[in-house]
């Protein structure tokens, strides 16, 4: 959490990844209603907007990782 704050402070291009096992994903979805949370990284939560793109659970594949990285490094808006 605090790492994303530091990266934002120093304006470091970043894409945030969170990987969850199948069991943790199921628990998060049904017990904690995490599928209703808009953001997971601290900076995005505090700013209430996507400062850093986030890839959660199995929501990332090599193509989307590359696309997000290129967009961040080229300072473009993400799709």
């Amino acid at each position: 959490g605090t790492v994303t704050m530091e990266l934002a402070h120093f304006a470091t291009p970043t894409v945030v990844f969170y990987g969850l096992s199948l069991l943790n994903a199921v628990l998060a979805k049904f017990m904690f209603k995490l599928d209703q949370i808009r953001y997971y990284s601290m900076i995005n939560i505090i700013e209430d907007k996507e400062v850093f793109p986030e890839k959660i659970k199995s929501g990332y594949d090599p193509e989307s990782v590359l696309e997000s990285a290129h967009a961040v490094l080229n300072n473009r808006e993400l799709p």
Side-chain angles (χ1 to χ4, degrees):
T2 56
V3 170
T4 58
M5 298 294 291
E6 291 179 50
L7 293 167
H9 176 75
F10 291 107
T12 304
T14 303
V15 179
V16 178
F17 295 90
Y18 290 105
L20 297 174
S21 69
L22 179 60
L23 177 61
N24 285 339
V26 169
L27 290 174
K29 183 175 183 175
F30 293 107
M31 291 181 66
F32 303 110
K33 308 275 191 243
L34 291 184
D35 58 336
Q36 297 174 6
I37 295 175
R38 290 178 53 184
Y39 304 111
Y40 291 81
S41 65
M42 188 181 295
I43 188 65
N44 290 351
I45 293 169
I46 290 170
E47 292 292 321
D48 195 30
K49 66 179 184 178
E50 188 175 79
V51 175
F52 294 143
E54 299 177 340
K55 302 294 181 182
I56 310 298
K57 296 182 272 192
S58 61
Y60 48 90
D61 53 60
E63 291 81 19
S64 69
V65 169
L66 184 61
E67 185 178 320
S68 295
H70 278 143
V72 168
L73 291 172
N74 292 319
N75 200 18
R76 294 191 320 247
E77 292 294 319
L78 290 169

